[in-house]
């Protein structure tokens, strides 16, 4: 091998013989000293690298980028910036309180990945930071090629409000910023403050007060992208709610390096004809199912159900970069135009997706039920399975209904009919259990090639959907029971009973509808189902559905169990979707540890943090729901923006002192009707009735009422619609009056009352 030459701080380039490439230290020294050495070609020329050695150099440079030693801005390569002696740092909310780490509060992505700063807190420290804090810290750089940093907190700082974002609209003399927040106002951007922003770009801005009148002005500090050109209105919600949607290089590298699991330590279940049943457009398949009659004479009419769930824990190990990123995300987020996955595509759509005809590592269940759907016993297994077919819900349902296609036909007798028979037994157990039976149709938005709304529809609710739901619910119960039996801490999926205040409010509302009111403040799900049944018979389903939904608590993840009220279950833990929910991954690891199924189970450090993990992923779930809802609102506002003045039918979905929220029948779009536009009367908010009632006329607009409205205004980027109401409300006794008065001639609907 040729002898490596010694580099010197001379501008004469060092030359290398065949088979030798420079070290990391030599490359960093050269790039730092000579500004002209800013590309792969220049680095190769500087060191005299030729021929096949260029490939090895290219690999080394890529590794140095991944390690954070070099940064690339387009094609230019440079040494990553170092932190100053004093810097503002953010400690992540998920940081270990006993081993804090932080990142620079401000960091240019062109400089490479954010450096990690380990926070040292001596016993004598006067400032003791905590997870989630922003601090001013003194920074010390460690020795070595790869920069390492240690920080000591000097002061805990107040976190500023997250940056304002909006859409740039170029005009004469500069531009205006169209806000994405509903209540925010437009601001001016002077020509010199636009930076690289172009018309239509989504940008982050810094707001400054200028001039004698202190008029707010926006200055562009970061160009996020162009939602229209990318067909991605969801980009607004991702940035407004600070949802990570790009995987760090280290995470992608870890995913690409993952190797397919083999049979070692696994049972071979590949002969069982599992099938996946999912939406037609699904790209990842967490779960596969199979059922067969139980031949045990002691269980006449019973079934054996097999459920296979992707073994994500094998690929995503606790403490790895992928694990850290999955925790930060908490869950996948689903938009009409994109999916922001919890895990990189190599894992979610490939190695962990139970693809048809391919060997896949799985956590599996064998469940024995009797003829009435009651579980007799179950067991968990770590297996290798191979899905016999990938079916959509509609395919599977059509086959059962007598119209099988080429894919489902051969599976009808041996696979699908036994599955449906087992589901029939599970349905009996579900009906006996009596979960909350709220009917909540979910609208879907279909986009065209430009990323705008092409169609809005409500998918048909099929037996195939309910079959998969029941088998997944049963699997989740099994997971919770097994972990409790082995006395291992776990994250439950919990849903509390409605509060006494909400039950009382529901009773007052039902009384106003002349429907029976709850006899007890401690209501069971079956009591709510009785209320819903009576409302349906009285033709008041829409009003009561809304109020029953509002009376319910929000489900969450927690290590303390208080049951799942909505499902009417004593114990419940999410286990069936580890590709898209971090909670399920934690439950998988706990099962592996409890049942001694491998060395990748729940760690003691994770077990100690379950409460913190539960709080975090409950918050990311709510964040995802808000992002999905806001994106749908913006898409629908875009869709309706060309229909100003059009008339629509809908129902009142909410009532406040300020006005009415109306949901349109055709699209499901929500808009607002200000109370001041309802006519010449003064409308008083009646909380017990969830209504606005005219003080003089007794005209009432109540939640759930059917109304006609006209669209007056649409703000697409804010996702806001404003309507005027065209219908007249129901007449009742005016509040505080002896009897209804003769109605005066009404002012035209939509005209503001003079007061």
């Amino acid at each position: 091998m040729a002898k490596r030459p010694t580099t010197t701080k001379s501008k004469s380039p060092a030359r290398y013989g065949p088979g030798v490439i420079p070290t990391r230290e030599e490359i960093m020294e050269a790039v730092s000293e000579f500004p002209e050495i800013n590309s792969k070609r220049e680095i190769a020329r500087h060191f005299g690298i030729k021929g096949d050695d260029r490939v090895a150099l290219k690999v080394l440079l890529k590794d140095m980028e991944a390690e954070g030693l070099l940064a690339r801005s387009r094609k230019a390569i440079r040494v990553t910036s170092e932190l100053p002696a004093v810097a503002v740092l953010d400690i992540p909310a998920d940081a270990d309180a006993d081993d804090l780490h932080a990142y620079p509060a401000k960091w240019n992505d062109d400089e490479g990945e954010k450096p990690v700063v380990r926070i040292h807190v001596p016993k004598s420290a006067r400032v003791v930071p905590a997870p989630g804090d922003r601090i001013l810290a003194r920074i010390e750089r460690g020795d070595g090629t790869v920069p390492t940093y240690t920080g000591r907190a000097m002061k805990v700082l107040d976190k500023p409000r997250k940056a304002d974002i909006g859409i740039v609209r170029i005009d004469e003399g500069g531009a205006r910023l169209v806000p994405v927040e509903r209540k925010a106002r437009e601001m001016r951007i002077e020509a010199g403050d636009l930076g690289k922003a172009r018309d239509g770009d989504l940008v982050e801005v810094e707001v400054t007060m200028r001039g004698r009148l202190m008029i707010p002005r926006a200055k562009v500090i970061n160009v996020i992208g162009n939602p229209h050109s990318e067909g991605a209105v969801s980009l607004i919600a991702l940035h407004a709610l600070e949802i990570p949607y790009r995987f760090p290089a280290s995470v992608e590298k870890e995913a690409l390096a993952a190797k397919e699991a083999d049979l070692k330590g696994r049972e071979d279940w590949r002969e069982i004809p599992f099938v996946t049943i999912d939406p037609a457009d699904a790209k990842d398949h967490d779960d596969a199912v199979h059922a067969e009659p139980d031949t045990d004479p002691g269980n006449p009419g019973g079934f054996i159900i097999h459920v296979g769930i992707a073994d994500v824990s094998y690929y995503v190990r606790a403490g790895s970069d992928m694990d850290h990123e999955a925790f930060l995300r908490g869950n996948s987020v689903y938009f009409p135009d994109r999916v922001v996955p919890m895990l990189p595509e190599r894992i979610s759509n490939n190695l962990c997706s139970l693809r048809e005809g391919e060997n896949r590592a799985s956590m599996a269940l064998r469940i024995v039920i009797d003829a009435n759907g009651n579980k007799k016993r179950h067991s968990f297994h770590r297996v290798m399975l191979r899905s016999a077919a990938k079916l959509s819900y509609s395919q599977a349902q059509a086959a059962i209904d007598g119209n099988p296609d080429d894919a489902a036909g051969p599976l009808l007798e041996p696979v699908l009919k036994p599955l449906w028979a087992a589901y029939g037994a599970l349905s009996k157990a579900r009906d006996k259990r009596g979960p909350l039976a709220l009917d909540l149709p979910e609208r879907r938005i279909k986009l065209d090639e430009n990323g705008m709304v092409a169609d809005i529809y409500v998918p048909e609710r099929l037996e195939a959907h309910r079959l998969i739901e029941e088998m997944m619910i049963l699997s989740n119960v099994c997971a919770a029971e097994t972990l409790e039996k082995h006395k291992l801490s776990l994250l439950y999926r919990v849903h509390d009973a409605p509060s006494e205040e909400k039950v009382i409010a529901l009773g007052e509302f039902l009384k106003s509808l002349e429907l029976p009111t709850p006899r007890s403040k401690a209501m069971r799900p079956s009591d709510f189902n009785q209320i819903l049944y009576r409302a349906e018979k009285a033709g008041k389903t829409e009003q009561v559905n809304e109020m029953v939904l509002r009376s319910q608590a929000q489900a969450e993840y927690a290590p303390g169990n208080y049951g799942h009220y909505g499902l009417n279950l004593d114990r419940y833990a999410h286990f069936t979707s580890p590709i898209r929910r971090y909670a399920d991954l934690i439950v998988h690891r706990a099962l592996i540890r409890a049942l001694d199924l491998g060395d990748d189970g729940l760690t003691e450090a994770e077990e100690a943090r379950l409460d913190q993990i539960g709080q975090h992923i409950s918050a990311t779930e709510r964040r995802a729901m808000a992002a999905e809802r806001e994106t749908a609102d913006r898409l629908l506002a875009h869709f309706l923006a060309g229909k100003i003045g059009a008339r629509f039918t809908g129902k009142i979905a909410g009532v406040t002192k300020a006005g009415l929220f109306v949901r349109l029948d055709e699209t499901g779009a929500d808009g607002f009707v200000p109370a001041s536009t309802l006519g010449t009367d003064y409308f008083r908010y009646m909380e017990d009735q969830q209504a606005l009632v005219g003080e003089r006329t007794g005209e009432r607009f109540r939640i759930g009422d059917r109304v006609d409205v006209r669209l007056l205004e649409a703000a697409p980027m804010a996702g806001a619609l404003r309507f005027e109401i065209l219908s007249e409300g129901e007449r009742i006794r005016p509040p505080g009056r002896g009897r209804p008065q003769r109605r005066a001639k009404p002012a035209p609907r939509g005209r503001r009352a003079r007061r």
Side-chain angles (χ1 to χ4, degrees):
M1 183 177 284
K3 184 179 179 182
R4 184 186 299 278
T6 303
T7 55
T8 63
K9 291 196 176 182
S10 162
K11 288 205 174 186
S12 58
R15 296 291 174 181
Y16 285 69
V20 180
I21 61 173
T23 65
R24 286 168 166 76
E25 292 85 350
E26 291 164 343
I27 291 173
M28 290 178 68
E29 183 180 348
V31 173
S32 298
E33 186 174 356
F34 307 126
E36 66 272 17
I37 303 177
N38 63 357
S39 67
K40 286 183 286 189
R41 178 180 295 178
E42 291 299 328
I43 292 171
R45 181 180 297 169
H46 177 80
F47 291 105
I49 306 298
K50 299 179 180 178
D52 293 340
D53 292 337
R54 285 177 175 266
V55 176
L57 178 65
K58 183 178 179 181
V59 171
L60 176 60
L61 293 175
K62 193 171 183 179
D63 286 344
M64 291 176 70
E65 281 187 60
E67 293 164 7
L69 300 177
L70 296 177
R72 181 191 299 272
S73 178
R74 296 184 180 176
K75 292 186 177 181
I77 293 175
R78 51 192 156 72
V79 175
T80 303
S81 296
E82 292 188 8
L83 291 177
V86 176
V88 177
L89 307 175
D90 282 331
I91 302 173
D94 65 300
D96 184 348
D98 296 322
D99 185 20
L100 291 174
H101 67 281
Y103 300 96
K106 289 189 177 181
W107 185 259
N108 188 336
D109 289 338
D110 290 342
E111 303 295 330
E113 289 193 46
K114 287 185 178 182
V116 181
V117 182
R118 296 293 166 190
I119 305 300
H120 177 57
V121 185
K123 291 182 179 180
S124 58
R126 299 177 64 182
V127 178
V128 180
D133 283 347
R134 168 166 286 187
I135 60 173
L136 181 68
R138 195 175 302 281
I139 308 295
E140 293 181 5
R141 188 190 191 283
D143 296 329
T145 304
V146 179
T148 58
Y149 299 99
T150 302
R152 292 194 182 199
M154 300 165 61
K155 185 179 181 181
V156 176
L157 306 172
D158 291 330
K159 273 194 172 183
R161 188 168 58 88
K162 68 175 183 281
D164 292 289
I165 64 173
I167 304 293
V168 171
R169 293 300 179 200
I170 305 293
D171 57 22
E172 291 183 10
R176 57 195 175 94
L177 183 79
V178 179
V180 298
E181 296 290 340
R182 298 188 183 202
K183 295 182 180 180
R185 295 183 177 181
E186 288 190 3
M187 285 184 283
R188 293 296 304 169
I189 308 175
E190 295 177 2
D193 290 337
L194 272 170
K196 297 180 180 179
R198 296 175 295 178
D199 189 67
D201 279 349
L202 177 66
V203 297
E204 283 184 313
V205 298
E206 184 179 72
V207 180
T208 57
M209 310 302 285
R210 298 186 186 177
R212 293 175 61 187
L213 299 178
M214 298 299 286
I215 298 173
R217 290 285 189 268
K219 178 180 180 180
V220 175
I221 58 174
N222 184 31
V223 178
I224 297 168
N226 192 302
H228 184 71
S229 65
E230 295 177 20
V233 174
S234 55
L235 196 65
I236 298 171
L238 291 175
H239 280 270
L241 295 169
E242 298 178 314
I243 296 174
Y245 66 101
R246 291 192 181 104
F247 286 106
S250 60
V251 173
E252 292 283 13
K253 183 178 179 181
E254 201 171 84
L256 290 172
K259 295 182 179 178
E260 195 167 330
D262 55 28
L263 267 171
K264 184 179 179 182
R266 298 182 183 278
E267 298 173 40
D268 191 346
W269 283 24
R270 288 177 291 181
E271 295 304 314
I272 298 175
F274 281 96
V275 292
T276 60
I277 305 177
D278 292 294
D281 58 353
K283 294 182 179 179
D284 55 68
H285 307 278
D286 302 79
D287 54 87
V289 292
H290 170 264
E292 60 188 21
D294 189 0
T295 58
D296 182 357
N299 188 27
F303 294 89
I304 299 173
I305 298 172
H306 297 106
V307 177
I309 306 296
D311 191 357
V312 176
S313 55
Y314 175 82
Y315 296 100
V316 183
R317 303 293 178 109
S320 65
D321 288 342
M322 271 199 293
D323 179 51
H324 179 73
E325 184 69 16
F327 170 75
L328 286 178
R329 295 177 179 227
N331 42 256
S332 298
V333 188
Y334 294 85
F335 298 106
D337 61 345
R338 68 168 77 189
V339 176
V340 179
M342 184 179 80
L343 298 168
E345 189 172 341
R346 161 85 171 150
I347 303 298
S348 61
N349 291 357
N350 187 346
L351 294 178
C352 286
S353 184
L354 306 183
R355 294 177 171 182
E356 179 180 337
E358 297 187 22
N359 294 342
R360 284 294 179 261
S362 304
M363 287 287 291
L365 261 167
R366 182 180 186 272
I367 310 170
V368 180
I369 63 172
D370 65 19
N372 294 314
N374 301 306
K375 180 171 66 69
K376 294 176 70 70
R377 58 188 174 274
H378 72 270
S379 57
F380 282 90
H381 307 258
R382 212 164 189 185
V383 309
M384 184 72 71
L385 64 77
R386 183 163 50 214
S387 171
K390 178 187 79 169
L391 301 177
S392 68
Y393 288 116
S394 56
Q395 266 183 303
Q397 189 67 55
I400 286 294
D401 292 342
N403 299 299
D405 61 10
D406 292 342
L411 300 168
L412 181 58
E413 293 295 332
V415 177
L416 294 179
K417 285 189 175 180
L419 271 173
W420 252 260
Y423 164 65
L426 291 175
S427 297
K428 296 176 186 177
R430 178 199 62 208
D431 293 342
K432 183 179 179 181
R433 189 178 80 242
L436 190 61
L438 269 172
D439 181 23
L440 301 170
E442 183 181 353
R443 283 178 172 81
R444 298 285 178 86
I445 298 174
K446 184 178 180 180
L447 303 183
D448 59 23
E449 58 186 13
N450 297 316
M452 294 293 108
V453 178
D455 188 23
I456 299 143
Y457 62 99
V458 177
E460 186 181 0
R461 183 77 169 149
L462 304 172
E463 260 194 349
H465 292 99
R466 296 188 179 95
L467 180 151
I468 295 299
E469 279 181 9
E470 286 305 313
M471 291 190 174
M472 296 305 108
I473 288 170
L474 180 59
S475 300
N476 289 336
V477 171
C478 291
E481 288 181 354
T482 296
L483 291 173
E484 280 190 356
K485 179 181 176 181
H486 286 79
K487 295 180 170 51
L488 191 68
S489 301
L490 71 143
L491 271 182
Y492 292 93
R493 177 65 168 178
V494 287
H495 179 220
D496 208 353
S499 67
E500 183 178 319
E501 293 80 3
K502 289 186 176 180
V503 172
I504 292 172
L506 175 63
E508 292 291 333
F509 178 72
L510 293 173
K511 186 177 179 180
S512 75
L513 292 175
E514 299 180 347
L515 289 172
T517 59
R519 294 181 181 179
S520 169
K521 298 180 182 67
M523 294 182 64
R524 298 166 299 177
S526 58
D527 296 325
F528 279 107
N529 292 342
Q530 189 64 28
I531 289 171
L532 293 168
Y533 172 73
R534 288 171 178 162
E536 185 180 11
K537 289 188 69 176
K540 298 175 180 178
T541 297
E542 291 180 334
Q543 293 100 316
V544 177
N545 248 348
E546 286 285 345
M547 285 302 294
V548 169
L549 177 62
R550 287 165 181 251
S551 71
Q552 301 304 305
Q554 192 164 32
E556 61 182 357
Y557 297 102
N561 182 31
Y562 49 86
H564 197 294
Y565 182 84
L567 293 174
N568 201 14
L569 290 167
D570 292 333
R571 56 192 58 81
Y572 193 66
H574 273 166
F575 159 78
T576 55
S577 296
I579 289 175
R580 62 186 179 90
R581 293 189 305 226
Y582 194 78
D584 303 55
L585 177 55
I586 289 291
V587 170
H588 276 232
R589 288 175 181 161
L591 287 166
I592 291 166
R593 177 175 161 189
L595 301 173
D596 197 20
L597 295 176
D599 61 358
D600 47 356
L602 190 73
T603 65
E604 291 182 1
E606 285 178 301
E607 188 176 8
R609 293 174 54 235
L610 283 180
D611 187 59
Q612 182 184 340
I613 292 172
Q615 290 179 29
H616 172 74
I617 60 180
S618 296
T620 61
E621 179 185 46
R622 291 191 290 271
R623 180 180 68 181
M625 291 168 63
E628 292 164 6
R629 183 177 61 250
E630 289 179 13
T631 297
D633 287 347
R634 290 187 176 101
L635 287 167
L636 291 172
H638 271 284
F639 180 64
L640 294 171
K643 300 183 180 183
I644 302 297
R647 181 171 179 155
F648 301 93
T649 59
K651 68 174 181 179
I652 297 173
V655 182
T656 69
K657 292 179 181 178
L660 308 171
F661 291 94
V662 175
R663 183 168 300 140
L664 303 185
D665 292 338
E666 186 178 349
T667 62
D670 289 301
F672 188 62
V673 179
S676 59
T677 66
L678 291 177
T680 57
D681 206 348
Y682 176 80
F683 282 82
R684 184 182 295 180
Y685 174 56
M686 310 296 287
E687 186 175 6
D688 60 333
Q689 301 177 41
Q690 285 294 297
L692 288 178
V693 181
E695 194 172 68
R696 178 173 53 81
T697 62
E699 187 177 13
R700 179 172 67 182
F701 295 97
R702 181 167 51 183
I703 192 168
D705 284 352
R706 311 292 307 170
V707 291
D708 292 331
V709 296
R710 179 181 288 117
L711 178 62
L712 295 184
E713 183 181 354
M717 288 306 167
L721 302 170
R722 186 165 65 86
F723 300 128
E724 69 170 337
I725 205 154
L726 303 175
S727 306
E728 290 193 6
E730 178 189 10
R731 296 305 174 85
I732 64 167
R733 186 189 301 271
R737 305 275 178 167
R739 58 183 180 179
Q741 296 181 2
R742 183 178 299 173
R743 177 174 171 80
K745 186 176 181 180
R749 287 292 182 201
R751 184 177 298 170
R752 186 181 181 91
R754 295 180 182 178
R755 297 194 183 93

